[in-house]
Amino acid sequence: MTVKLIDPWGSGLLEDYEKIVKDFGLEVFNPKGFPEPNRIMRRGVVFAGRDLARLADAIHGKKKFYALSGIMPTAERIHFGNKMVIENLAYFQKHGAKTIVAIADLEAAAVRGVSLAEARKRALEFHIPAYIALGLNPKKTLFYFQSENRDVTRVAFEAAQKITFNEFRATYGSTEPSRIMSALTQIGDILFPQLEERMPGIIPVGIDQEPHIRLTRDFVSRSRSTFKFTQISSLYHKYTPSLDGELKMSKSKPESCIELPEDPKSACAKIKRALTGGRDTLEEHRRLGAVIEKDMVFELLKQHLIEDDKELQEIYDEYKGGKMTSGELKEIACEKTTLFMKSLQEGIEDARKLVKAKELNFLD
Amino acid sequence: MTVKLIDPWGSGLLEDYEKIVKDFGLEVFNPKGFPEPNRIMRRGVVFAGRDLARLADAIHGKKKFYALSGIMPTAERIHFGNKMVIENLAYFQKHGAKTIVAIADLEAAAVRGVSLAEARKRALEFHIPAYIALGLNPKKTLFYFQSENRDVTRVAFEAAQKITFNEFRATYGSTEPSRIMSALTQIGDILFPQLEERMPGIIPVGIDQEPHIRLTRDFVSRSRSTFKFTQISSLYHKYTPSLDGELKMSKSKPESCIELPEDPKSACAKIKRALTGGRDTLEEHRRLGAVIEKDMVFELLKQHLIEDDKELQEIYDEYKGGKMTSGELKEIACEKTTLFMKSLQEGIEDARKLVKAKELNFLD
C-alpha cells in the first residue's frame, strides 16, 4: 500500500509508528475506506491494521462479521488503551458486527493469581459496567468467561498442533508454558466465534498485541485444509502517551498516568504537571506559538477529550498561533476531564444496575 | 525401601524393570500392603508405584480417595496395557475409590486428527463398553469428555504457571506446544477431582506414563501454598511383552501383537508362532524342562489368561518339569484366548446396551 501514515493534528511520536508499520508489515489505516470513521480513526490514532479490505467489504456489503476483544478482570481500574479498544468495538458494533467480549478469568487466575471467583466478581462489578459505560451496547454485546467457554479450549488445542516451538520463540522471545498456554487460549478466543459459522472478524487491539494476531493468522493459514476459518482482520491504535512525553502511559509512572475512572482533582493535578509545547516565556509563546507535536495535553484532548473536529481545530489554531497559552490549554483539559470522569462514573453505576438485573447477554 | 522386585513365576525381563525402578526412584510394589491383591498385583506384573502407603492407608482406613485413568478414543481396538489399567482401576473401585475415566477427545482431535464428534462416537460405541466389559462397574464409574470438563482446563492453566520450559524439556525431551498442551491437560485430568474435595488419588498407568505422573507430583508440591492438593499416588504395571520376546507388545509388529478384541483364530495363529522356552528336541525338553523366563506364551497365561494361582502353578510345574510341551502350552493358551475373546465380545455388546440406554454416569 502507498497510503502514508497521517496524524492531522501532529504528534512527535509519528516516527515510532511509521517504524512499527514497516517492521511488522502492517497496512496503513485509511479512514476513507470505512463509513463514518470514529474520532480516533479520523485523527490518525488508529493507524494500521491487517486485512482491512475484507472487513470494509463486509461492512459495505452488509455481510455477517464479528468484532472481538477481551477484558483482563484484575486491575481495579482500566486505562486509555482499553477505552480505545472499546470505542473501536462500539464502532464495528454500530456497523453490524456481532460483538463479543472475552473475560480472561483463566489468565487472571493463572497469571495474576486472582481466583476465578474473584475475577468473576471484579468483572461483573467493574470491568463489564465500564465497557458498557464507554460505549458498548449492552443489549447487543455477548460476554463470556474464558473458563466457561469450551469452544475456546477446543480451538486452543487445535492450534497447539499447528504452531511449533520455534514459532513461539520467534514470536514472543519466551517459551515458558504459561506464555504458550495464554497465547493458545487467545487464539481460541479470537477464532471460536467461527466454529458456528465462518465469517470475517476484526480484532481491535493496541499494537503491543500484534504477536497474538500474527500467530492467530498463521494458524488460520496453516489449518486452511481442515478448518477453513476466514482470515481475521486486525486494527491497531497508538498508545496514549505518558503525560511526561514517553510513548506509552503506564501505571508504573503514576504521576504521568490517568486511570479510568480517576478522581477529577487528582487527574487535573497530573495534567497541570504534564509536558507541554509551550515556550519558555509568554512573549516567546505569543510570537512563535506552541510546539504542538510535543504537547501531551493537546494529545490527550485530541485522542480522548474532544469529540468535535471543529472544536479541536480551533484550539489547535489558537494554541499553535500563540493566542492560547499552555495554562489555558490545561484549564480546558481539566474541565473536559472532570466532565468525562463524572459521566464515566455515572455510566458505570447505570451499567452496574443492568448487570445486577441480569440484562446482559452471556454466552454459556 | 528394601522390598525387592519379585516375579514369582519368572520373566526374563525382570532386569529391565529393576533398572526402571532405580532410574526413576520408584517404590517397589509390595502386594502385602494391599487387601486382596488382584491377579497382576500378586504376580509381580504390577511392580512399582509412588506414595503407595498413603493409598493403602486410605483403603484400610476407609477414607475417601479416587482412582483415575483415561481413554484415547481413536484406535479401533485396545490392548493388554489398557486391560491392566482397567483391572487396577476395578480393584480400587472395589475397595472404595471414586472411579473416574477421562475420555481424551481433545487430544484425539488434536494429536490424531479425529474430530470431537467422531471421538465421542468411537468412545460411546467401543471404548467405554470395552472398559466396562473388562471390569469397571458401570453404575459406579464416572466418565467425562475432556472437551466438556472446564475444571480440567482450569487446573491445566494453573499448572502452566508453575512448570517451567526447562522442566518440560527435561521431562519430555520435546517442548513442542502440542506436547506441552497435552501434558498440562493430563495434569488437569489427574487433579481436577480434588477441586471439590482434597483427597488421595491413585493413577494406575503403564510405566511409559511416568513422566506425566512426575510432572503432576511436582506441580502438587510446588502449589502447596495455594492449592493444597493431596499428593497423588501412582501404580505401574509391566508391559505385556511382544510374542517374539521384545519388551513391549506393539501394533507396529502385528504378527506378535494380540489386540482386544481380536478374532480368536487370528490370535491363536499368532500364539502358535510365539517365542517359547521349549527345548530343541522333545527328548531334551523332557529331560531339562522349559526355560520359562523366555516363554512368551506362559507370560501371556500368567499376565492375562489364568485367574487361579493354583492352576497357574500346576502349569508352571509341569512345563518347567518337562512334562508339558510348548505345543501343549500353546493349546492351553489358544483355548483360554478363545474363551476370553468370546466373553469380551459379549461383554462389550452388553455394555453397549447400557450406553444406549444412558445407564452410565457422565460428568457434566
Side-chain angles (χ1 to χ4, degrees):
Chain A
M1 285 185 75
T2 53
V3 178
K4 270 200 66 178
L5 214 56
I6 289 168
D7 190 342
W9 287 291
S11 156
L13 303 168
L14 194 60
E15 270 177 34
D16 296 287
Y17 291 103
E18 280 180 337
K19 184 168 180 335
I20 286 169
V21 166
K22 212 175 149 194
D23 289 353
F24 290 169
L26 304 178
E27 297 168 20
V28 169
F29 177 78
N30 181 359
K32 288 181 188 154
F34 288 81
E36 309 162 75
N38 69 15
R39 183 187 71 257
I40 52 179
M41 290 172 173
R42 292 194 307 269
R43 297 182 186 170
V45 185
V46 171
F47 71 105
R50 288 190 184 276
D51 253 336
L52 291 168
R54 187 195 312 274
L55 224 279
D57 282 356
I59 294 178
H60 289 301
K62 299 197 183 303
K63 293 175 200 155
K64 275 194 188 176
F65 72 104
Y66 66 104
L68 180 141
S69 182
I71 290 177
M72 175 68 90
T74 48
E76 282 185 26
R77 295 187 166 74
I78 57 175
H79 52 69
F80 283 113
N82 300 122
K83 177 173 174 284
M84 288 194 272
V85 165
I86 299 163
E87 289 177 317
N88 286 331
L89 270 184
Y91 168 83
F92 293 113
Q93 183 169 60
K94 201 179 139 197
H95 289 89
K98 178 173 177 176
T99 308
I100 304 167
V101 176
I103 299 147
D105 62 341
L106 279 179
E107 288 184 69
V111 185
R112 313 280 170 95
V114 174
S115 74
L116 291 173
E118 178 64 23
R120 167 180 283 271
K121 188 166 167 278
R122 289 190 197 176
L124 293 174
E125 287 184 0
F126 173 65
H127 297 85
I128 293 172
Y131 270 51
I132 291 168
L134 285 168
L136 291 185
N137 183 330
K139 296 215 172 92
K140 292 189 173 173
T141 307
L142 288 166
F143 295 92
Y144 72 89
F145 290 90
Q146 268 179 341
S147 67
E148 298 183 350
N149 191 323
R150 295 162 183 177
D151 287 340
V152 167
T153 308
R154 289 171 193 174
V155 176
F157 242 86
E158 300 286 353
Q161 309 310 314
K162 296 283 182 187
I163 302 174
T164 65
F165 167 72
N166 285 329
E167 220 170 339
F168 270 101
R169 186 165 50 190
T171 306
Y172 295 108
S174 158
T175 52
E176 284 304 317
S178 58
R179 175 57 65 95
I180 289 178
M181 196 85 169
S182 287
L184 292 171
T185 303
Q186 290 201 33
I187 293 175
D189 286 326
I190 291 173
L191 292 174
F192 91 90
Q194 291 198 44
L195 285 183
E196 204 177 284
E197 186 179 353
R198 304 298 183 263
M199 58 180 153
I202 177 96
I203 320 296
V205 287
I207 187 64
D208 50 340
Q209 302 299 305
E210 159 63 12
H212 296 314
I213 298 292
R214 199 160 63 236
L215 214 57
T216 305
R217 287 174 52 90
D218 284 351
F219 169 59
V220 168
S221 304
R222 213 165 303 163
S223 60
R224 204 153 270 166
S225 64
T226 47
F227 274 111
K228 302 183 175 66
F229 284 129
T230 301
Q231 188 54 283
I232 55 145
S233 306
S234 56
L235 191 71
Y236 307 100
H237 58 78
K238 295 179 187 170
Y239 300 118
T240 295
S242 176
L243 293 175
D244 65 2
E246 294 286 321
L247 188 66
K248 189 180 181 182
M249 193 179 266
S250 159
K251 266 195 261 188
S252 62
K253 276 192 197 169
E255 72 287 357
S256 294
C257 173
I258 297 175
E259 294 194 288
L260 303 179
E262 177 161 336
D263 172 59
K265 275 188 195 161
S266 149
C268 283
K270 291 173 183 176
I271 289 169
K272 294 265 156 72
R273 290 191 302 268
L275 177 74
T276 71
R279 304 289 176 170
D280 289 345
T281 65
L282 182 63
E283 183 278 325
E284 207 181 333
H285 188 81
R286 295 287 186 219
R287 185 159 47 86
L288 301 169
V291 188
I292 289 205
E293 312 86 74
K294 286 191 181 166
D295 199 293
M296 295 303 121
V297 180
F298 184 82
E299 191 65 22
L300 199 63
L301 289 167
K302 180 185 92 180
Q303 286 199 9
H304 296 290
L305 298 171
I306 294 180
E307 192 58 45
D308 182 22
D309 288 352
K310 228 180 107 203
E311 185 182 351
L312 186 70
Q313 185 66 51
E314 282 169 13
I315 291 174
Y316 180 88
D317 292 342
E318 291 204 5
Y319 192 41
K320 197 173 173 68
K323 267 204 218 165
M324 183 182 287
T325 65
S326 295
E328 285 160 349
L329 189 79
K330 286 175 171 177
E331 276 306 320
I332 294 171
C334 171
E335 270 170 42
K336 301 269 181 192
T337 298
T338 303
L339 286 173
F340 170 71
M341 292 297 178
K342 280 189 180 160
S343 146
L344 174 61
Q345 196 60 59
E346 283 168 20
I348 291 174
E349 275 155 33
D350 287 348
R352 219 171 254 155
K353 286 174 201 156
L354 292 180
V355 175
K356 279 197 181 144
K358 298 192 190 297
E359 291 190 16
L360 298 184
N361 303 300
F362 283 92
L363 283 178
D364 279 337
Chain B
M1 285 183 75
T2 53
V3 178
K4 270 202 68 179
L5 216 55
I6 290 168
D7 190 342
W9 287 291
S11 157
L13 303 167
L14 194 61
E15 271 178 34
D16 296 286
Y17 291 102
E18 280 180 338
K19 185 168 180 336
I20 286 169
V21 166
K22 210 176 149 196
D23 289 353
F24 291 169
L26 304 178
E27 295 168 22
V28 169
F29 177 77
N30 181 359
K32 288 182 188 154
F34 289 81
E36 311 161 77
N38 68 15
R39 184 186 71 259
I40 51 178
M41 291 173 173
R42 291 194 307 269
R43 297 182 187 170
V45 185
V46 171
F47 72 105
R50 288 191 185 277
D51 252 336
L52 291 168
R54 189 195 310 278
L55 224 281
D57 282 354
I59 294 179
H60 289 299
K62 300 196 183 303
K63 293 177 200 153
K64 276 195 188 176
F65 72 104
Y66 67 105
L68 180 141
S69 182
I71 291 177
M72 175 68 91
T74 47
E76 283 185 26
R77 294 186 167 76
I78 57 175
H79 52 70
F80 282 113
N82 299 123
K83 177 172 174 286
M84 287 193 273
V85 165
I86 299 163
E87 288 176 317
N88 286 332
L89 270 184
Y91 169 83
F92 293 113
Q93 183 170 60
K94 202 177 138 197
H95 289 89
K98 177 175 178 176
T99 308
I100 305 168
V101 176
I103 300 148
D105 62 342
L106 280 178
E107 287 184 69
V111 185
R112 313 281 170 94
V114 174
S115 75
L116 291 173
E118 178 63 22
R120 167 180 282 273
K121 188 165 167 278
R122 289 189 197 177
L124 292 174
E125 288 183 0
F126 172 65
H127 297 86
I128 293 172
Y131 271 51
I132 291 168
L134 286 168
L136 291 184
N137 182 331
K139 296 213 172 93
K140 291 190 174 173
T141 307
L142 288 165
F143 295 92
Y144 71 89
F145 291 90
Q146 268 180 342
S147 68
E148 297 183 351
N149 190 323
R150 295 162 184 177
D151 287 340
V152 167
T153 307
R154 289 172 194 175
V155 176
F157 242 86
E158 299 286 351
Q161 310 310 315
K162 297 282 182 187
I163 302 173
T164 65
F165 167 72
N166 286 330
E167 220 169 342
F168 271 101
R169 188 166 51 190
T171 306
Y172 295 109
S174 158
T175 52
E176 284 304 317
S178 57
R179 175 57 64 95
I180 289 178
M181 195 85 170
S182 288
L184 292 171
T185 302
Q186 291 201 34
I187 293 175
D189 286 326
I190 291 173
L191 292 174
F192 91 90
Q194 292 197 44
L195 285 184
E196 206 178 283
E197 187 178 353
R198 305 296 182 265
M199 57 180 154
I202 177 94
I203 319 297
V205 289
I207 187 63
D208 51 340
Q209 302 299 306
E210 158 63 12
H212 297 313
I213 298 292
R214 199 162 60 235
L215 214 57
T216 304
R217 287 175 52 91
D218 284 351
F219 169 58
V220 168
S221 304
R222 212 163 306 162
S223 59
R224 204 152 270 166
S225 65
T226 47
F227 274 112
K228 303 183 174 65
F229 285 129
T230 300
Q231 188 55 284
I232 55 146
S233 305
S234 56
L235 190 71
Y236 307 100
H237 57 79
K238 295 178 186 171
Y239 300 118
T240 294
S242 175
L243 293 175
D244 64 2
E246 295 285 321
L247 187 67
K248 188 179 180 182
M249 193 179 266
S250 158
K251 266 195 262 189
S252 62
K253 277 191 196 169
E255 72 287 356
S256 294
C257 174
I258 297 175
E259 294 194 287
L260 303 181
E262 177 161 336
D263 173 59
K265 276 189 193 160
S266 149
C268 283
K270 291 174 184 175
I271 289 170
K272 295 264 156 71
R273 290 191 303 267
L275 177 74
T276 71
R279 304 287 176 170
D280 291 346
T281 65
L282 183 62
E283 182 277 325
E284 207 180 333
H285 188 81
R286 296 286 185 220
R287 183 160 48 86
L288 301 170
V291 187
I292 289 205
E293 311 84 76
K294 286 191 181 166
D295 200 293
M296 295 304 121
V297 180
F298 184 82
E299 190 66 21
L300 199 63
L301 289 167
K302 178 185 94 180
Q303 286 199 9
H304 297 290
L305 297 171
I306 294 180
E307 192 57 43
D308 182 22
D309 288 352
K310 226 178 109 202
E311 186 182 351
L312 186 70
Q313 185 67 50
E314 282 168 14
I315 291 174
Y316 180 88
D317 292 341
E318 291 202 6
Y319 191 40
K320 197 171 172 70
K323 269 205 219 167
M324 183 183 286
T325 65
S326 296
E328 285 160 349
L329 189 80
K330 284 175 173 176
E331 276 307 320
I332 294 171
C334 171
E335 271 170 41
K336 300 271 182 193
T337 299
T338 304
L339 286 173
F340 170 71
M341 291 297 179
K342 279 188 181 162
S343 145
L344 175 61
Q345 196 61 57
E346 283 168 20
I348 290 174
E349 275 154 34
D350 287 348
R352 219 171 254 154
K353 285 173 202 157
L354 292 179
V355 175
K356 279 196 182 145
K358 298 191 190 300
E359 291 190 17
L360 298 185
N361 303 301
F362 283 93
L363 283 177
D364 278 336

